[in-house]
Amino acid sequence: MVLLFMKRLTKNEKYPFSTDALRSELKHTFWILERVSSAKALARLLKNHPVFENYEIVLAAGDGVIEDSAYNQTSLFRVNNAIKNHDKTITISVGQLTTGVTIPEWTAVLMLSNMKSAAQYMQAAFRAQNPYEWEETFDGNSAVYQKQNAYVFDFAPERTLVIFDQFANNLNTATTSGGGTTEDRKENIRKLLNFFPIIGEDQNGVMKELDVNDVLTIPRTLKATE
């Protein structure tokens, strides 16, 4: 199943690493997993994958070691060092680096963990939100570029949208803990969607930007289907 998932990541055009353009935009990404053993196993698979073998894999989980050799550098130092010396990197974590650190080069977070806390989820998601600019030179001419977009990729839409609802409404004291009217809660979600749009696959397999009604009804529909 994991190998099939990796194949879809790099072949299915709806997935983040499926085209050269997407790979160019997602040069440095942060992947969050559930367990240290899973993180280590995934790191080994990525190193032997025909696409991901071109990325420097940084394991920021447990003892920080993929094999049995010891590292005494901090995870943050190793990530920054990897980015400095490699054009593309993937950082794999279980809990490290999800709060209190800034790595401007990250452009995306892959949520591969069953994270249920809205606060923890958003803290981790915001790891890719830091501003970043860099200089590139072509034919002797230099230009400065700025990071335009940051992405969060999640493959559990029911959980993701429930967390989005919780986060939007916990920002307002009138709607925390399920309080407020339905319209109040919808308005909070509308406001957050302006700053944090969600793109998802509809019933016809088409990717579209979700609205407030989608955020509220899709989790119920999926639960009913299950």
Side-chain angles (χ1 to χ4, degrees), residues 65-86:
V65 186
I66 296 176
E67 302 301 340
D68 291 331
S69 55
Y71 287 85
N72 28 15
Q73 301 169 302
T74 66
S75 296
L76 181 58
F77 176 83
R78 289 189 291 110
V79 172
N80 286 328
N81 192 53
I83 291 173
K84 179 181 178 181
N85 293 292
H86 297 86

Side-chain angles (χ1 to χ4, degrees), residues 4-23 25-26 52 108-110 151-155 198-208:
L4 178 60
F5 173 69
M6 292 168 64
K7 180 179 179 181
R8 287 179 175 170
L9 280 180
T10 56
K11 298 291 185 182
N12 188 327
E13 290 188 2
K14 298 172 187 175
Y15 281 65
F17 296 91
S18 57
T19 67
D20 289 337
L22 289 172
R23 293 170 196 168
E25 190 168 3
L26 303 174
F52 293 119
V109 177
L110 269 73
Y151 303 92
V152 178
F153 297 104
D154 202 324
F155 305 91
I198 304 176
I199 298 172
E201 187 176 6
D202 67 12
Q203 293 180 338
N204 299 316
V206 177
M207 300 297 283
K208 70 165 192 171

Side-chain angles (χ1 to χ4, degrees), residues 11 31 37 61 75 80 108 122 151 159 169 171 204 207 213-214 225-226:
K11 298 291 185 182
W31 299 25
S37 58
S75 296
N80 286 328
M122 290 300 176
Y151 303 92
R159 184 195 70 233
N169 285 292
L171 293 173
N204 299 316
M207 300 297 283
N213 291 320
D214 294 323
T225 301
E226 291 173 359

